[in-house]
Amino acid sequence: MTATPEYPFGPMTVPEAVAHTARLVADRPMTKMTMPYGGDVWLVHRNSAARAVLADPRFIRRPFRTGERTVPFFVPFPDFLRTTLQFEDPPQHTKLRKLVQKAISPKRVAAMRASAVTFANQLIDAMTARGGPRNLVTDYAVSLPIEMLSTLLGVPSADREKFERWSASTLAVAGKSETEIAADLRDLSAYMTDLIARRRNQPQDDLLSALAHARDRDETLTDAEILPIAFILIVGGFDNTATFLSTGVLALLRNDEQRAQFLTDPDGLAPTTAEEILRHGSFAVGQPVAGGGGLVPFVATEDVEIEGQLIAAGDAVSLDPGSANHDPAAIDDPGRFDIARKDNPHLMLSYGLHHCLGAPLARMELQVGLAELFKRLPQIRLAGEPEYNRAVLTQPMTSLPVTW
């Protein structure tokens, strides 16, 4: 009799982890595990089961938002994040999301692409002027999304330095104490509240102006509704995008054949490369892979059966992206790092009602960041090993030494 595939599982080689995941999703759609904080949670492994959960309105986040329940997670979940849009449920979530989607439209993001290209090249100019080796995380991967988010929100040029200092306080690479972070977040909140008021009176072509004047029937968003939207974009748009970009560069540097292919047409291959990095990038960097993580969880409001597994009312449930993105039923040859992959239904940016609002911006930044770097520095290479901070929520890469 074959043993049931264990979960969570310790570090394995990538081929071993992919094979273990295949056995896991064949065996069951999900596993219940106990988190260091917040107790038990179902981790959903199958791609199809994860989509079913994400599309089902019987799974909500209100108990986490109100503080009635502790968020089941590996680290303590920051309180201020529980006030953001991702913890809202319909109908409020639906209203806010619809208005934000109008304001952060693909058209608006497309219009920002030229400025992203310009700024990426300015960062590369600064790196090459100083000479290698450089830490790509701080010199490039963090700076690009911070600049783009400042542009999107409409932060005036004169305020960029302090806005970026306050916003970056939450980044793991900042290394600040909880007291310092709390003070910076208070300053950022006060600044954003004032900027929203200014945009109500004098709208410009930016996201805060669009949100300040967005209408849902006869309703406009209040400052109390706009501020959490801005905060989730600020927090989610820095660490995560920076880590995806750093991971993408590392994955290409560790895969000679795929890097050579990317260098033949960086602009043309950037879209599919970005999706493959989102799906498989952390598997492609040449380090052992462990299994046992999830995205922000939900709570079942009633008994729900998903692919034969009963999730009882009150149970917490979360998506395990490592398994869902390597499910052989959804992804052809999931262990292969293929930057030209056309059919790529990964769930790294979630799905359905809770699909990442900043996804168009994150994808654009990832595409531009990769293409411009490898066009300008085709000989870029590693100058040391990457470093990570595993003690914080996003577990970001904090150092990636490179030279050229």
Side-chain angles (χ1 to χ4, degrees):
M1 181 176 175
T2 304
T4 300
E6 65 175 20
Y7 186 87
F9 56 86
M12 304 177 178
T13 66
V14 171
E16 288 172 339
V18 170
H20 187 87
T21 297
R23 292 190 293 270
L24 181 67
V25 298
D27 182 73
R28 59 193 184 276
M30 63 193 76
T31 301
K32 182 176 280 190
M33 63 176 289
T34 302
M35 289 292 190
Y37 300 87
D40 290 347
V41 59
W42 288 104
L43 272 297
V44 181
H45 309 305
R46 290 180 187 162
N47 194 286
S48 56
R51 289 171 184 270
V53 169
L54 291 168
D56 195 321
R58 293 175 292 180
F59 297 105
I60 65 170
R61 287 179 171 151
R62 181 184 56 78
F64 301 135
R65 187 178 75 252
T66 61
E68 177 187 339
R69 292 272 296 271
T70 299
V71 181
F73 220 74
F74 293 93
V75 297
F77 211 88
D79 284 342
F80 77 92
L81 279 180
R82 293 189 292 103
T83 68
T84 60
L85 177 61
Q86 67 178 329
F87 279 88
E88 291 286 355
D89 300 307
Q92 177 71 351
H93 181 278
T94 308
K95 169 196 169 183
L96 295 177
R97 186 177 182 87
K98 184 168 69 174
L99 293 171
V100 175
Q101 282 177 320
K102 289 180 183 177
I104 192 171
S105 65
K107 181 180 178 181
R108 182 182 295 274
V109 171
M112 295 173 60
R113 194 178 194 98
S115 64
V117 169
T118 298
F119 189 67
N121 279 279
Q122 290 173 357
L123 293 172
I124 296 166
D125 287 342
M127 283 198 302
T128 54
R130 289 191 293 267
R134 307 301 309 172
N135 178 0
L136 193 78
V137 175
T138 53
D139 284 12
Y140 188 70
V142 168
S143 299
L144 181 61
I146 286 181
E147 176 71 13
M148 289 301 96
L149 196 58
S150 301
T151 299
L152 177 72
L153 290 171
V155 176
S157 299
D159 296 339
R160 289 285 172 94
E161 186 176 343
K162 61 184 180 183
F163 170 78
E164 292 176 5
R165 184 177 70 252
W166 292 330
S167 301
S169 178
T170 62
L171 292 172
V173 293
K176 293 194 174 186
S177 69
E178 288 188 16
T179 302
E180 291 172 318
I181 292 172
D184 283 344
L185 288 176
R186 283 194 299 271
D187 289 339
L188 178 60
S189 180
Y191 173 77
M192 295 301 292
T193 300
D194 177 68
L195 186 57
I196 291 165
R198 281 188 273 160
R199 291 296 182 262
R200 285 201 191 280
N201 294 325
Q202 294 181 313
Q204 297 185 14
D205 185 24
D206 57 50
L207 180 64
L208 285 185
S209 297
L211 291 174
H213 294 273
R215 302 189 72 85
D216 179 29
R217 298 187 178 89
D218 292 327
E219 297 179 43
T220 55
L221 292 175
T222 64
D223 290 2
E225 291 171 323
I226 296 174
L227 197 58
I229 293 169
F231 263 84
I232 192 59
L233 290 171
I234 290 168
V235 175
F238 289 177
D239 251 8
N240 288 336
T241 305
T243 293
F244 285 135
L245 181 51
S246 301
T247 299
V249 172
L250 180 57
L252 288 169
L253 293 180
R254 288 256 167 93
N255 290 268
D256 294 344
E257 181 185 339
Q258 294 295 297
R259 183 175 70 257
Q261 183 178 355
F262 185 69
L263 286 171
T264 65
D265 185 11
D267 289 321
L269 284 167
T272 51
T273 301
E275 298 307 312
E276 186 69 341
I277 286 165
L278 289 168
R279 183 193 74 86
H280 188 68
S282 61
F283 279 62
V285 297
Q287 297 171 330
V289 173
L295 303 182
V296 179
F298 300 90
V299 174
T301 58
E302 60 183 81
D303 290 356
V304 183
E305 186 174 302
I306 301 287
E307 298 193 8
Q309 175 62 59
L310 176 67
I311 301 170
D315 282 359
V317 59
S318 178
L319 159 65
D320 167 24
S323 299
N325 292 341
H326 293 84
D327 181 349
I331 309 289
D332 180 48
D333 194 3
R336 186 179 79 251
F337 182 51
D338 181 3
I339 65 168
R341 187 184 294 276
K342 293 291 189 284
D343 186 17
N344 199 342
H346 68 81
L347 294 173
M348 189 54 73
L349 299 176
S350 197
Y351 169 78
L353 181 68
H354 291 278
H355 183 250
C356 175
L357 273 172
L361 184 61
R363 285 186 161 106
M364 182 272 284
E365 291 169 356
L366 190 50
Q367 292 168 18
V368 168
L370 291 168
E372 298 308 311
L373 183 69
F374 280 91
K375 283 192 294 185
R376 289 284 305 277
L377 302 173
Q379 301 304 318
I380 189 170
R381 61 189 186 277
L382 291 174
E385 290 300 306
E387 296 177 5
Y388 299 83
N389 185 343
R390 302 298 188 188
V392 299
L393 183 71
T394 54
Q395 301 189 16
M397 190 185 300
T398 56
S399 177
L400 182 62
V402 297
T403 191
W404 46 88

